[in-house]
Amino acid sequence: MCHSSCGGSVRVATGLCQELARRGHRVHLFTRTTPFGHWGQADGVVLHRAEAHYDKDLHPATLFAEWPAHVFETLLFILLQVIKQEGLDFLHYHYAVPFAYLAAEVKLRLKGEAPVLVGTLHGTDVGHYGRDFDQGPRLSRALRELDGLTTVSLSHAHLAAEVFGLERPPEVIPNFVDLTKFRPPSDQDGDKGELKMKGGESERARIIHISNFRPVKNLQSMARIFIDIRRQIDAELWLIGDGPEMDQLKAVLEAEGVKKDVHFMGLRQDVDCVLPGADLLLMSSLYESFCLSALEAMACGVPVLAPMVGGLPEVVVHEKTGFLFPPQDHRAAVSWAVNLLQDKIEHVTMRTAAAARAAWFGQERIVSVYEDLYGNLLSAKEKRRGPAHALPA
Ligand code: GMT
């Protein structure tokens, strides 16, 4: 189960589904509506939606975690039906709200016949909902119904343990990147999508920011850093994504006279085609449990400039694959960016190191970690149920 927006948890969930199906597993995906991006049946994943069509008010950049009761009930009905018909072994959700409640309800209804329940915590499900006076305790109870709980970084695991009062922190299975899609530019990629934008002999530095433009991305700060970089060197800013903070961001860029240096690329699915043409990814989030964009940028050989918050230090290696600035220390961020973008040798070294580091988070390896977890949880369940329920050899 996952949301339908363009966010990282959806990317991880759908990527995991596709890779598991490619490996021969039977995979069903349960969502509110069609997940952002192309979702064909060709990849072998069977999609079940509570609502067949996009509601025009559901902007794909916004994660709508609080569902109306009828949507919740519809997906629960579909879940129970498919679990019984297909004899599903696992029910795995990405992002706790509202899926932790759905999983707990499935367990309550199916009792001993319920599939093994796995949950993956991603970000604001802990930092926002976990701390909520009303939802926090409910969520905490729902998490205790799980057979396996994971999250995407050590830092987020500690936060989750503290917020939910868990005896043991969730298991860390980091996010992954498809290294066949996200890779540094090569000669064969000459015509690959937006790489053409790099064309010409311009020496202009290309700084890219990718997000869902929500308050947690701290876009005013991102704009300030870009503006100060632009005051010192020739640079342009590529913005990928859209969201509630976009209008305010545009106003700042306009007021500072740098809007002409900004390319608004909107929400798009071919980020892998754009990223390799950039020189630096700029993030300024207040919090990131992981920051999938940082990983994808590094996989494309793009160094990352980001604040030292949450799980970012587990992804970006300071001074090797990018720079991690203390939050609020814009001066340090600007100075690192300017120096890097002016030093071709250092930039190439960092590009190579970034791609090498990202390889450790390759989809092949990380999806196998999920498979191992499923295997272990299934064996534990069989053991609990005793020999009568053992799987045939
Ligand atoms: O929790 C959120 O704000 C939404 C969530 C999402 O669906 O995009 O983002 C989180 O999950 C991503 C995938 O694991 C991480 O890369 C993001 O860092 C994380 N966002 C936050 O922690 C704010």
Side-chain angles (χ1 to χ4, degrees):
M1 293 187 275
C2 72
H3 283 289
S4 314
S5 61
C6 63
S9 61
V10 178
R11 303 271 315 288
V12 171
T14 53
L16 178 60
C17 283
Q18 284 163 325
E19 180 57 19
L20 288 171
R22 196 187 65 79
R23 294 181 185 198
H25 300 282
R26 282 190 302 129
V27 185
H28 294 255
L29 177 61
F30 300 88
T31 60
R32 177 166 177 179
T33 186
T34 312
F36 175 75
H38 170 76
W39 190 265
Q41 301 289 307
D43 50 25
V45 179
V46 185
L47 179 64
H48 306 273
R49 298 163 298 179
E51 293 177 312
H53 301 292
Y54 274 124
D55 178 328
K56 63 175 176 13
D57 297 328
L58 295 185
H59 191 287
T62 310
L63 193 147
F64 289 92
E66 287 159 55
W67 293 4
H70 73 274
V71 178
F72 184 94
E73 291 301 328
T74 306
L75 200 63
L76 178 61
F77 177 80
I78 298 171
L79 273 167
L80 293 168
Q81 207 174 36
V82 178
I83 290 168
K84 281 191 214 153
Q85 271 168 10
E86 299 288 323
L88 300 185
D89 295 310
F90 299 96
L91 180 59
H92 183 177
Y93 64 77
H94 287 264
Y95 200 91
V97 185
F99 303 115
Y101 305 130
L102 278 162
E105 202 59 38
V106 165
K107 188 170 171 183
L108 189 71
R109 309 263 179 121
L110 298 183
K111 305 210 164 47
E113 299 307 311
V116 172
L117 301 178
V118 185
T120 298
L121 303 171
H122 278 273
T124 44
D125 45 358
V126 177
H128 176 71
Y129 290 108
R131 290 189 167 119
D132 184 84
F133 181 72
D134 171 47
Q135 290 231 24
R138 279 173 60 215
L139 257 185
S140 181
R141 279 195 298 278
L143 295 182
R144 283 166 168 79
E145 298 298 329
L146 293 171
D147 299 289
L149 178 62
T150 83
T151 190
V152 297
S153 66
L154 208 54
S155 145
H156 205 58
H158 288 314
L159 181 71
E162 181 202 314
V163 167
F164 294 117
L166 305 172
E167 273 163 34
R168 269 189 311 141
E171 177 174 346
V172 177
I173 303 185
N175 288 332
F176 53 86
V177 60
D178 181 350
L179 299 168
T180 62
K181 264 179 85 183
F182 290 86
R183 56 196 161 91
S186 72
D187 291 345
Q188 292 93 52
D189 290 331
D191 286 337
K192 202 178 166 195
E194 297 299 320
L195 276 178
K196 284 183 195 159
M197 289 197 63
K198 184 122 174 119
E201 292 304 307
S202 163
E203 289 293 305
R204 249 190 156 195
R206 278 106 178 161
I207 299 172
I208 192 166
H209 170 83
I210 306 170
S211 78
N212 45 19
F213 293 78
R214 290 195 295 156
V216 71
K217 301 294 172 180
N218 196 11
L219 294 149
Q220 302 288 327
S221 161
M222 191 276 297
R224 290 270 143 236
I225 294 171
F226 170 70
I227 291 161
D228 286 349
I229 295 172
R230 179 69 194 91
R231 285 202 177 113
Q232 296 185 47
I233 58 170
D234 191 16
E236 62 189 42
L237 178 64
W238 297 355
L239 295 179
I240 297 195
D242 196 2
E245 298 289 297
M246 184 56 104
D247 288 345
Q248 240 181 319
L249 175 64
K250 277 185 180 161
V252 172
L253 296 167
E254 175 99 70
E256 295 290 335
V258 294
K259 203 161 161 220
K260 60 181 184 334
D261 299 313
V262 182
H263 295 277
F264 297 91
M265 299 184 176
L267 276 171
R268 47 197 301 165
Q269 294 160 38
D270 60 345
V271 176
D272 55 305
C273 294
V274 185
L275 256 175
D279 298 311
L280 183 71
L281 175 83
L282 170 59
M283 302 300 294
S284 55
S285 316
L286 300 171
Y287 183 78
E288 291 286 350
S289 65
F290 185 92
C291 195
L292 191 56
S293 309
L295 175 58
E296 290 175 344
M298 282 168 32
C300 293
V302 178
V304 175
L305 177 65
M308 202 181 293
V309 294
L312 266 161
E314 294 168 56
V315 182
V316 179
V317 183
H318 181 56
E319 292 185 320
K320 284 216 157 39
T321 72
F323 296 99
L324 294 170
F325 55 91
Q328 310 305 331
D329 193 352
H330 287 184
R331 196 190 287 244
V334 172
S335 138
W336 275 321
V338 168
N339 290 340
L340 179 71
L341 294 168
Q342 286 181 317
D343 184 339
K344 283 209 170 106
I345 295 174
E346 177 60 16
H347 193 229
V348 169
T349 307
M350 213 172 241
R351 274 188 178 282
T352 311
R357 167 92 182 132
W360 193 80
F361 297 91
Q363 177 171 287
E364 283 290 319
R365 191 181 77 80
I366 305 289
V367 171
S368 298
V369 180
Y370 275 114
E371 276 183 313
D372 290 347
L373 172 74
Y374 296 152
N376 294 339
L377 291 174
L378 198 56
S379 311
K381 184 178 178 181
E382 296 306 334
K383 234 184 243 168
R384 279 198 306 273
R385 291 171 119 196
H389 288 88
L391 285 176

